[in-house]
Amino acid sequence: MTTNRILHVMAVLCVAAVAVALVSQHVFDMRPCAWCVLQRLVFLAIAAVCWLGVLAGRVAPGLRRFAGLLAALLGAGGMVAAWYQYSVAAQRFSCDMTFADRFMVASGLDAGVPWLFGIFASCLDARVELLGVEYALWGMGLFALLTVMALVAAARR
């Protein structure tokens, strides 16, 4: 598989993950917490980096590798966010004033794009399972897969 294809598949997986989250929220009334919407932002950032890497790689092929490295860093950050949501934040009644809450509010994304980044639940209330596995673990698994794919893309010439 070529580096372009890896980056493109990564971007599509990220957009699909956010689409599943939005369907869960708007169709099945599963309200997101601050850590949920922070992970959406990371997925969209990875998608943007990957697609920009594909485009910029046409001009300077080394930029594809740089996009892979940047996507790997974002993926690792996403894994940390998902782990924190699952192991710490979801055990607390509120995730108010945690890093995710402060970041999303300070960025203005929660108020500016509430249908995508609005914080509508506490972390405890946002614990939802899909096929018997919590969403945070699904996110962590996808971030891990994306990180590996990004490292493969960065390692290719």
Side-chain angles (χ1 to χ4, degrees):
M1 187 178 283
T2 66
T3 302
N4 271 350
R5 186 164 296 201
I6 293 170
L7 292 173
H8 184 68
V9 168
M10 288 174 60
V12 169
L13 285 172
C14 289
V15 171
V18 173
V20 167
L22 289 172
V23 168
S24 297
Q25 176 183 344
H26 296 290
V27 175
F28 298 107
D29 201 33
M30 296 177 185
R31 301 292 181 187
C33 70
W35 288 96
C36 299
V37 296
L38 178 65
Q39 289 172 66
R40 290 179 188 182
L41 181 61
V42 175
F43 278 127
L44 292 175
I46 292 171
V49 164
C50 289
W51 276 327
L52 286 173
V54 169
L55 290 175
R58 293 178 181 170
V59 176
L63 291 176
R64 286 187 201 111
R65 296 178 75 193
F66 179 73
L69 287 174
L70 188 53
L73 289 173
L74 287 166
M79 281 190 291
V80 170
W83 169 83
Y84 186 87
Q85 178 186 358
Y86 176 75
S87 63
V88 178
Q91 310 306 320
R92 297 180 179 169
F93 178 70
S94 174
C95 44
D96 188 34
M97 300 311 295
T98 62
F99 170 78
D101 184 60
R102 288 181 303 189
F103 181 83
M104 294 308 295
V105 170
S107 71
L109 290 171
D110 67 321
V113 195
W115 61 271
L116 179 59
F117 297 117
I119 301 167
F120 298 112
S122 72
C123 293
L124 186 61
D125 293 334
R127 288 180 73 176
V128 177
E129 292 184 356
L130 176 66
L131 302 174
V133 178
E134 283 190 39
Y135 265 54
L137 293 177
W138 283 108
M140 190 184 321
L142 182 55
F143 281 123
L145 174 64
L146 291 167
T147 302
V148 169
M149 291 175 73
L151 290 172
V152 168
R156 289 180 175 254
R157 293 194 176 262

